[in-house]
């Protein structure tokens, strides 16, 4: 039995309620609660995104069922650079439909959108710990370009001011790392290998 062809279309404001269950499912799959996701929908998170000119949401369907989606935004790569870039903000495929070409079709649409806006780069932010996703994007020609790190403004302000005390757990981890490094150095010297 052959699979039905996958079609990809843009999600419009009128499609918000039909798209919402798929988005909620994707948020639960990445560790957020269903209550949080439903509340975000009620508060207008999807509607607000659909109303923005710099965001496009595309959904993949087959036989009327939604299989996955991609959220693409556009902005410069840098605040001092005016070259347009398209950003793959979210790419999610229902686990039952993975490895069937759904993500490929969604990425084709992302590439078309990037070309449409004249973007020189198509960027995907993939969490470092997601090895399979990183391998997938690497096979498609996405090269690593930056390491993103984040903190809250308050935590940064406290660290910069030097008024935050090191927590007990941070102190234990720091001491363990120091002990391991010193032990490794002694073992290396004893073996004559050095570091």
């Amino acid at each position: 039995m052959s699979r039905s062809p996958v079609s990809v279309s843009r999600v419009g404001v009128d499609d918000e309620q039909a798209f919402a269950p798929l988005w909620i499912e994707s948020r639960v799959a990445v560790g957020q609660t269903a209550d949080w996701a439903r509340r975000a929908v009620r508060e207008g998170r999807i509607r607000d995104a659909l109303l923005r000119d710099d965001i496009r949401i595309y959904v993949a369907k087959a036989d009327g069922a939604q299989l996955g989606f991609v959220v693409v935004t556009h902005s410069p790569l840098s605040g001092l650079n005016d070259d347009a870039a398209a950003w793959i903000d979210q790419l999610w495929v229902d686990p039952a439909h993975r490895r069937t070409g759904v993500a490929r079709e969604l990425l084709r649409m992302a590439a078309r959108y990037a070309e449409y806006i004249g973007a020189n780069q198509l960027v995907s932010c993939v969490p470092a710990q997601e090895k399979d996703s990183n391998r997938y994007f690497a096979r498609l020609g996405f090269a690593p370009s930056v390491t993103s790190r984040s903190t809250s403004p308050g935590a940064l302000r406290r660290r910069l001011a030097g008024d935050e005390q090191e927590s007990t757990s941070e102190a234990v981890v720091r001491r363990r790392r120091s002990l391991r490094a010193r032990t490794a150095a002694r073992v290396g010297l004893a073996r004559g290998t050095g570091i």
Side-chain angles (χ1 to χ4, degrees):
M1 186 159 123
S2 65
R3 283 182 270 169
S4 297
V6 175
S7 65
V8 177
S9 59
R10 183 175 174 190
V11 177
V13 176
D14 294 340
D15 306 316
E16 176 189 1
Q17 292 306 311
F19 172 71
L22 185 67
W23 184 79
I24 292 168
E25 185 180 347
S26 76
R27 298 298 83 206
V28 171
V30 298
Q32 293 168 325
T33 67
D35 288 338
W36 175 89
R38 283 191 288 272
R39 186 174 59 251
V41 170
R42 282 192 307 273
E43 292 172 355
R45 181 165 301 199
I46 294 173
R47 183 181 52 256
D48 292 347
L50 292 170
L51 290 172
R52 288 180 49 180
D53 289 334
D54 61 336
I55 296 177
R56 296 289 189 278
I57 302 174
Y58 297 100
V59 66
K61 295 180 183 178
D63 295 327
Q66 297 181 112
L67 311 177
F69 67 92
V70 64
V71 179
V72 187
T73 65
H74 70 84
S75 67
L77 275 174
S78 162
L80 296 176
N81 184 346
D82 57 358
D83 291 339
W87 297 77
I88 298 169
D89 183 58
Q90 294 179 34
L91 173 64
W92 191 79
V93 176
D94 182 298
H97 299 285
R98 291 183 182 162
R99 299 187 184 279
T100 63
V102 174
R104 184 173 294 277
E105 293 304 316
L106 289 166
L107 289 171
R108 275 194 179 108
M109 183 59 78
R112 277 190 225 126
Y113 176 67
E115 290 170 343
Y116 171 76
I117 63 168
N120 295 327
Q121 297 287 319
L122 184 58
V123 181
S124 179
C125 299
V126 184
Q129 68 273 17
E130 291 187 19
K131 292 180 181 173
D132 289 339
S133 295
N134 276 291
R135 287 185 193 120
Y136 179 74
F137 279 97
R139 282 194 306 271
L140 293 174
F142 285 78
S145 59
V146 298
T147 299
S148 298
R149 299 183 181 276
S150 64
T151 188
S152 70
L156 177 61
R157 199 173 358 85
R158 287 188 301 274
R159 295 274 178 154
L160 290 172
D163 62 355
E164 184 173 323
Q165 297 294 321
E166 183 176 50
S167 72
T168 305
S169 61
E170 288 174 327
V172 169
V173 169
R174 183 181 45 76
R175 285 192 298 265
R176 283 183 182 163
R177 287 181 180 156
S178 178
L179 278 170
R180 284 186 192 133
R182 287 190 304 237
T183 301
R186 280 193 296 255
V187 169
L189 290 173
R191 291 184 180 160
T193 59
I195 293 180

